[in-house]
Amino acid sequence: MTPPAAPRSPFHRDELTVVLGASGVYALRMLGLYMALPIMSTWSASLPGATPFLVGLSVGAYGLTQAIFQVPAGLLGDVRGRRLVILGSLLVFALGCLIVAMSHSIQMVIVGRLVQGVGAMASTLIALIGDVTREHVRTRAMALMGGVLGVAFAGGFLLGPLTSAHFGVPAVFGLAAGLTAVGAVLFELLVPGRLVPRIGHAGLPRSISASGESQAGSGRPAPPWSWHEAKSLLHDRSLLVLDGGIAALHAALTGLFVVIPFVLKEFFGPLDLWKVYAPVLASGLASMVWASHQADRPA
């Protein structure tokens, strides 16, 4: 007879505070980015100096510098602490948004998008959530963050065309800069400093204990970081498969949003794009919730 599955352990209050606070701040940052995605390529094509290649680059430049700076930002978070990297990344991203908002040529838009990508904070934010959550609630914590970002994704796709139709595309990027700045302030308010892992002399972050209290590292010296260990990850087949799948997904998504806005423009006005995006996003969110539930089920 199969024994009954053990009941799920609930989040501790401190864990939930960090997960919801950090996810909400990240969602504000990404909301502005998602608002621009469905209108970016058609707007870029109307700017002086635009060519098909430069239009594609204006959409993809953000991802290019994200890929370059994600690992260095993660390393800096390990050495100097998560808070510094997260706040710094938010401010850099806001600066990139302002550059795009004030741009009058495709070249300056590309510069702004490159600056946006330098504010790479995803790896540090995920590490922060991993630091403060226990292993048996971590999958749910990541799923909760994904759900919050999914709502931001849906909201951005619906609000972006509406905002641009009434105020212009530069206003979308100006709003994105404002939302990101608000996110930086809220991170200070919603995520208490006592809960954010601090890298001390032991080189180990603080974590949440079984009782929900913030605990310091064990005092053991941190193992030295080595290129040999880092390069060994390139031989991890399961990790390479995961990375390849994510790369293909994002390449396809970026490519689609270079082309699809031009196709939809022939059939829908800016105020009618929600009729296409809303059902697609609803089905995607439902699939994500189901997949997260399945992944968290005991084997």
Side-chain angles (χ1 to χ4, degrees), residues 28 50 55 108 116 123 129 147 162-163 167 174 233 238-239 249 269-270:
L28 279 177
V55 169
M108 284 305 300
Q116 283 182 319
S123 61
I129 293 176
L162 294 175
T163 304
F167 305 104
L233 297 176
S238 61
L239 186 59
L249 174 65

Side-chain angles (χ1 to χ4, degrees), residues 146-159:
V148 173
L149 291 178
V151 172
F153 188 83
F157 269 57
L158 300 177
L159 292 175

Side-chain angles (χ1 to χ4, degrees), residues 71 75 224-236 239:
V71 172
L75 291 174
W225 190 88
S226 69
W227 281 108
H228 176 75
E229 182 180 358
K231 286 189 292 185
S232 69
L233 297 176
L234 298 176
H235 303 288
D236 187 329
L239 186 59

